[in-house]
């Protein structure tokens, strides 16, 4: 076996093993997302998250698992069976994914101000229409979850909630805000967490936590609430995790570039090696023949 054949075999099995690993990883991600969708009642009760964000993330996990499994399957079969069509398709999908990521990064960098304004408009519209329609509470529950996780209240400040009609009390009462603005760490009071995240679980079945008398939970704005807006909290979170985010993006990009290089190298060199191996030898006798004797006339 020549050095080129050994190199191709090493690339083939290296590509197969790594894609097999990502196929298993994608299947685990897919199963985890499906498990959340099927057994959402007990899972929501266990982790204590809001139902709607958890449902959204479960669908994202399931779709991501399917895409990872499909891409890894192309790489595994194409490398093991040495099929140029599958290797080319694998390279094309990786190139499309890599180009999409680069495009999104450029758009986010160049259109950052416009994107921030768009997010601000969506959040403020969600706040203004908070619980206006009792049947459509997905956006409100998601925003409650964001406020609880980022430990913030409103977009700019808690005053964003003061003009919401459903939160208004009597003129003599202080302004009120949703319970997701409640700072339980300031009083070591964990009872408000049940009010924030578990009222909507009553419709999920007997395994969920008991439902309260009302789905709308409010607290006084002059009490123990988060005083910082979510815009500032989000900027702080991005600043504190910028190195990790950039590192993950670079690692994913380099991994995709490595797989693309290996797949196109294997695809371009398969025919060259096999044609050289299958090239027919020139015909000839196994042993040299004696020269013909001249014809003699007696």
């Amino acid at each position: 076996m020549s050095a080129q054949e050994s190199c191709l075999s090493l690339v083939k099995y290296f590509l197969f093993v790594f894609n097999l690993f990502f196929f298993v990883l994608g299947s685990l991600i897919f199963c985890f997302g499906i498990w959340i969708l099927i057994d959402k009642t007990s899972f929501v009760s266990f982790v204590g998250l809001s139902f709607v964000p958890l449902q959204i993330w479960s669908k994202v996990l399931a779709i991501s698992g399917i895409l990872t499994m499909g891409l890894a399957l192309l790489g595994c079969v194409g490398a093991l069976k040495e099929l140029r069509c599958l290797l080319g398709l694998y390279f094309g999908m990786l190139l499309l994914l890599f180009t999409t990521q680069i495009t999104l990064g450029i758009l986010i960098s160049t259109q950052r101000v416009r994107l921030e304004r768009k997010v601000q408009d969506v959040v403020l519209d969600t706040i203004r229409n908070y619980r206006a329609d009792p049947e459509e509470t997905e956006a409100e529950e998601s925003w409650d979850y964001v406020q609880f996780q980022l430990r913030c209240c409103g977009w700019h400040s808690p005053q964003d909630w003061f003009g919401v009609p459903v939160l208004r009390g009597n003129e003599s009462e202080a302004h009120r805000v949703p319970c997701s603005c409640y700072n339980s760490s300031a009083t070591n009071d964990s009872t408000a967490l049940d009010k924030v995240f578990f009222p909507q679980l009553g419709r999920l079945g007997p395994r969920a936590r008991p439902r309260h008398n009302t789905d709308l939970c409010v607290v006084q704005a002059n009490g123990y609430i988060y005083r910082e807006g979510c815009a500032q909290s989000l900027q702080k979170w991005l600043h504190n995790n910028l190195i990790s985010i950039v590192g993950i993006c670079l690692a994913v990009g380099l991994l995709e570039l490595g797989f693309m290089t290996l797949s196109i190298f294997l695809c371009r060199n398969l025919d060259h090696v096999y044609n050289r191996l299958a090239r027919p030898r020139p015909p000839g006798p196994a042993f040299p023949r004696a020269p013909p004797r001249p014809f003699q006339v007696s």
Side-chain angles (χ1 to χ4, degrees), residues 236-267:
K236 288 182 179 179
W237 183 87
L238 290 175
H239 178 74
N240 295 332
N241 297 274
L242 182 61
I243 297 178
S244 300
I245 295 173
V246 173
I248 292 174
C249 293
L250 287 177
V252 172
L254 291 176
L255 196 63
E256 292 172 349
L257 283 176
F259 284 161
M260 283 192 293
T261 304
L262 292 178
S263 62
I264 198 64
F265 174 79
L266 187 62
C267 185

Side-chain angles (χ1 to χ4, degrees), residues 16 18-34 60-78 90 93 97:
F16 170 76
F18 269 83
N19 279 281
L20 182 62
F21 168 76
F22 280 100
F23 181 82
V24 175
L25 180 63
S27 63
L28 292 177
I29 295 174
F30 172 74
C31 293
F32 185 66
I34 294 299
V60 171
L61 287 175
I63 295 175
S64 301
I66 292 176
L67 294 178
T68 305
M69 290 170 60
L71 188 60
L73 185 63
L74 282 178
C76 285
V77 178
Y90 176 74
M93 293 184 67
L97 181 61

Side-chain angles (χ1 to χ4, degrees), residues 38-39 44 63 70 85 93-94 98 119 133 139 147 158 178 181 188 193 196 204 253 263 266 273 276 290 292:
I38 295 176
D39 198 20
V44 169
I63 295 175
C85 57
M93 293 184 67
L94 279 179
F98 183 77
V119 173
D133 187 358
Q147 290 189 143
C181 292
N188 294 324
L193 299 182
V196 177
L204 298 181
S263 62
L266 187 62
V273 173
R276 186 168 56 84

Side-chain angles (χ1 to χ4, degrees), residues 154-169:
W155 180 250
H156 300 291
S157 67
Q159 295 182 359
D160 294 335
W161 291 103
F162 292 172
V164 179
V166 73
L167 300 181
R168 290 177 182 173

Side-chain angles (χ1 to χ4, degrees), residues 47-104:
V47 299
L49 299 179
S50 180
F51 171 69
V52 173
L54 188 64
Q55 188 179 28
I56 295 174
W57 278 109
S58 63
K59 293 179 181 179
V60 171
L61 287 175
I63 295 175
S64 301
I66 292 176
L67 294 178
T68 305
M69 290 170 60
L71 188 60
L73 185 63
L74 282 178
C76 285
V77 178
L80 188 63
K81 298 297 183 180
E82 300 178 355
L83 299 175
R84 291 191 64 191
C85 57
L86 293 184
L87 288 173
L89 183 60
Y90 176 74
F91 172 81
M93 293 184 67
L94 279 179
L95 181 61
L96 178 62
L97 181 61
F98 183 77
T99 306
T100 304
Q101 292 170 352
I102 295 296
T103 304
L104 287 177

